[in-house]
Amino acid sequence: MQKITTLSSVLRRFIQGGSILSLSLTSLWVDAAGIPTLNEMLVRANARELIGSANSANEGTVLKHQLDLRTVYRPGELLETVPGLIVTQHSGEGKANQYFLRGFNLDHGTDLRITVDGMLVNQRSHGHGQGWADTNFIIPELIGNLQYMKGPYYAHQGDFSSAGAVSMGYLDKLPKGIASYGLGQQGFMRGLVTKSHEVGRGNVLYAVELLTKDGPWVKHEDFKKFNAVLRYSQDTGPTKFNVTAMGYGGNWNSTDQIPARGVASGFIPRLGAIDPSSGGESHRFSLSTALQHSSRYGITQFNLYTLHSNLALFSNFTYFLDDPVNGDQFSQIDKRFQSAMNVDHLWVSRIKGIEIENTVGVQFQNDVINNGLLSTKERQTLSTTRKDHINQNSVGIFYQNSIQWLEKFRSVAGVRSDYYWFDVNSNLNVNSGNRYDSMTNPKLGLIFGPWVQTELYFNYGSGFHSNDARGTTSIVDPKSGDSINRVNPLVRSTGYEVGVRTAIIPGLQASFAAFRLDLDSELLFVGDAGTTEASRPSKREGFEVSLFYMPKDWLTIDIDYALARARFSDDDPSGNYIPGAIRGVGKMAVSVDNIGRFFGSMQVRYFGKRSLIEDNSVQSNHTVTLNGQIGYKIGSNVRVILQGFNLLNTHAHAIDYYYASRLPGEPTAGVNDVHFHPIESRSLRVNLVANF
């Protein structure tokens, strides 16, 4: 992966009037959430420029051209361009993806912070799971670049970033309009029209996307979604800004995870569902703006957004365990208004001849949430388990500086303080209440080199994730009536890392990082409830290696591998393995372009075994998948692309869990079993893309 020049380095060169060579200056001015908001990034594949700028071995940028050559079954899989990150799905297409990184089963985003165009995608105190990060609203053609960083070492990254943070920025303008139409197996059809126009001193960009998909399932998903974007931006003078409106809507049927015993006995087919009435509908509408002002005093950035989202999700993971008559289907409702404002200022000062690059910022967020948990049958309400109105507010303050102490030694130090307020009004009064919590976390990075185009990194930092507001005030289980303990609002994580980055071989960029991460409380997915809950303290140790090789201007090879050991750090008779925690992950992508009219790519992904129970007596199998595409340029403005998914037609599992469920005729206590969601069978799609 190409790595991004740090913001401090760009600021120094800008203020001193130096050139930035092959980097677009404004593309690296980021908002307080840490993502570019105003311009497309231009980075040439010159590995020499990466050394001397990155603050760790685990951060980088994936360029638009690399993203365009990826073959992805769903938009969220673009995130698999991040080394060590796996993106999958355990239910219907309209749900948020499931993420795996650095020894975590991150469920729908518990410790992976995702931002798009400055807006936090993760949703706290969500009806289905803490940190819910639904990326279905993303239009891949509009992404200018994808930036990533891992570990709690970055002062501008807050909640949910302990394992890593990924940010994507939309383009302000397109070189040409795009009209795309795709057809494929499994009921796939997609249409997209997007174009930008000069209006006055700025640009107007619009995009409209429509998609339908059935999938290979016995019960067709009948997934339908629309996406729309309208953006105005100005990119001239010392003050630049954009205003963006986005809209998304989707509805679908779900084939949830199924019991292995049901398939083995012939009770259901491998692509079947126990409860075919599961599914959901969702929408998301947002309005955002970003502004930056540059002067001799530095760069001031301002980011403001508000969004409304709505989700109604119907799931059944235990079938007839709790209710032998009506079944165990339940509905999770989440309606929210989320608003945030981020402000930061960057400047350079000099003390006794030593140059200090400074960043200070403030981040505000408010969520007004209405959650519901209902017992349902065929999407009809039978009873209400709980309803909650939540008002959650937070303020984050951070400072970071970078100092070049010696020619071959620099440091990056920072501190971040976060303050959270929770106000829960529940239909069960004893579970209502108010909580407050705060946390301060230091960050430190030491960078040595470069020597022979090689740098060494030592990183330390602590971070956090927030817990669901309902868990911070609840003292009674609303379903069973049993007493429960309240959870801590904020949970600390502490990370350590050593790494190396080298560009000693022409055309090759390589990095290696060994890490450890401790969590005061693990967030675990509960398979029979379909949600996450706070659990025991944990620790993870592992390493990652990433290679990006471009031996010719028409060939790129991208390889990464990660291995992690995840354990609960306390003693318990049940065992210390963390259910679902990923061990080994490997990926290789090969892309060919600029060789005439043909272009193409191939991606191999290895998804390693996971322990499914604390004593490690039950494990998942590993999975290997192969995707690819080949394209032909009919002319300068028209190309046709054939894409293939799961080309090996493997019958492996996208995800596995182990818990108790009950099929008709089984004991009332249920049967413990592996429950899995199959990988979609092999399918092909043809896309016709025209520029205008």
Side-chain angles (χ1 to χ4, degrees), residues 539-605:
K539 64 179 179 180
R540 287 169 172 80
E541 299 169 324
F543 71 86
E544 297 173 330
V545 60
S546 174
L547 304 173
F548 182 86
Y549 187 41
M550 193 171 182
K552 304 290 183 181
D553 62 0
W554 54 268
L555 175 64
T556 59
I557 302 171
D558 198 349
I559 301 174
D560 65 83
Y561 181 76
L563 185 65
R565 180 182 185 272
R567 298 288 189 274
F568 289 116
S569 53
D570 62 352
D571 291 323
D572 191 287
S574 63
N576 291 328
Y577 287 81
I578 301 174
I582 187 65
R583 300 179 192 172
V585 172
K587 291 173 291 180
M588 181 176 71
V590 179
S591 302
V592 175
D593 200 0
N594 302 317
I595 55 172
R597 293 185 179 272
F598 286 95
F599 60 93
S601 63
M602 194 73 70
Q603 299 145 225
V604 180
R605 185 188 76 166

Side-chain angles (χ1 to χ4, degrees), residues 646-666:
N646 189 12
L647 292 171
L648 302 176
N649 202 29
T650 175
H651 286 186
H653 301 171
I655 187 65
D656 295 271
Y657 302 103
Y658 185 77
Y659 57 86
S661 63
R662 182 177 183 267
L663 298 174
E666 292 185 335

Side-chain angles (χ1 to χ4, degrees), residues 55 153 400-403 410-414 443-447:
N55 294 332
Y153 315 124
Q400 180 173 293
N401 67 44
S402 177
I403 304 175
R410 56 190 170 94
S411 66
V412 179
K443 324 279 184 176
L444 179 64
L446 304 177
I447 301 96

Side-chain angles (χ1 to χ4, degrees), residues 59-330:
E59 62 181 78
T61 293
V62 185
L63 306 182
K64 178 173 176 54
H65 181 66
Q66 295 170 256
L67 295 171
D68 289 343
L69 287 174
R70 286 286 175 143
T71 310
V72 295
Y73 189 81
R74 50 184 66 93
E77 290 181 1
L78 286 173
L79 275 67
E80 287 197 349
T81 56
V82 176
L85 177 59
I86 290 290
V87 179
T88 187
Q89 178 60 268
H90 68 237
S91 190
E93 285 300 315
K95 282 185 69 173
N97 293 123
Q98 186 157 2
Y99 307 95
F100 292 82
L101 179 70
R102 289 205 159 187
F104 281 89
N105 173 1
L106 296 158
D107 191 39
H108 297 295
T110 52
D111 284 285
L112 176 66
R113 183 180 177 91
I114 301 174
T115 53
V116 174
D117 226 36
M119 295 178 285
L120 179 64
V121 179
N122 305 75
Q123 294 186 339
R124 50 201 195 182
S125 303
H126 189 269
H128 180 70
Q130 180 71 343
W132 172 273
D134 181 5
T135 56
N136 278 295
F137 70 94
I138 292 175
I139 300 178
E141 288 84 349
L142 297 186
I143 298 176
N145 59 75
L146 180 151
Q147 301 179 32
Y148 62 86
M149 50 190 64
K150 303 172 200 169
Y153 315 124
Y154 307 94
H156 62 284
Q157 300 290 357
D159 202 358
F160 306 119
S161 63
S162 294
V166 180
S167 56
M168 290 166 277
Y170 270 11
L171 299 169
D172 281 340
K173 57 184 178 181
L174 297 167
K176 294 182 179 180
I178 302 172
S180 176
Y181 182 71
L183 286 173
Q185 294 175 300
Q186 302 175 1
F188 174 84
M189 183 171 64
R190 177 181 185 257
L192 169 73
V193 176
T194 180
K195 188 173 177 60
S196 60
H197 300 272
E198 290 187 6
V199 176
R201 298 177 57 192
N203 292 276
V204 171
L205 181 147
Y206 67 86
V208 177
E209 177 195 33
L210 298 174
L211 181 144
T212 66
K213 181 164 54 177
D214 290 333
W217 318 109
V218 173
K219 172 69 173 180
H220 286 174
E221 280 185 318
D222 196 23
F223 178 44
K224 295 181 174 65
K225 79 170 181 179
F226 80 87
N227 269 318
V229 174
L230 181 63
R231 183 183 190 108
Y232 178 76
S233 61
Q234 286 191 8
D235 189 24
T236 58
T239 301
K240 312 176 193 299
F241 73 93
N242 64 47
V243 179
T244 306
M246 299 184 189
Y248 158 77
N251 59 78
W252 64 95
N253 300 316
S254 292
T255 296
D256 292 330
Q257 59 254 29
I258 55 177
R261 67 186 186 278
V263 177
S265 67
F267 179 76
I268 54 169
R270 191 180 66 89
L271 299 176
I274 302 294
D275 188 344
S277 66
S278 295
E281 58 181 332
S282 176
H283 68 246
R284 178 190 187 277
F285 300 98
S286 67
L287 181 65
S288 64
T289 183
L291 180 147
Q292 65 181 29
H293 177 72
S294 307
S295 71
R296 63 189 182 93
Y297 300 106
I299 301 174
T300 300
Q301 302 165 103
F302 173 81
N303 173 246
L304 175 68
Y305 69 88
T306 184
L307 66 85
H308 167 64
S309 64
N310 184 16
L311 173 71
L313 189 64
F314 299 87
S315 308
N316 187 345
F317 301 130
T318 52
Y319 321 124
F320 296 94
L321 180 65
D322 296 330
D323 189 338
V325 177
N326 296 305
D328 297 349
Q329 187 184 85
F330 58 93

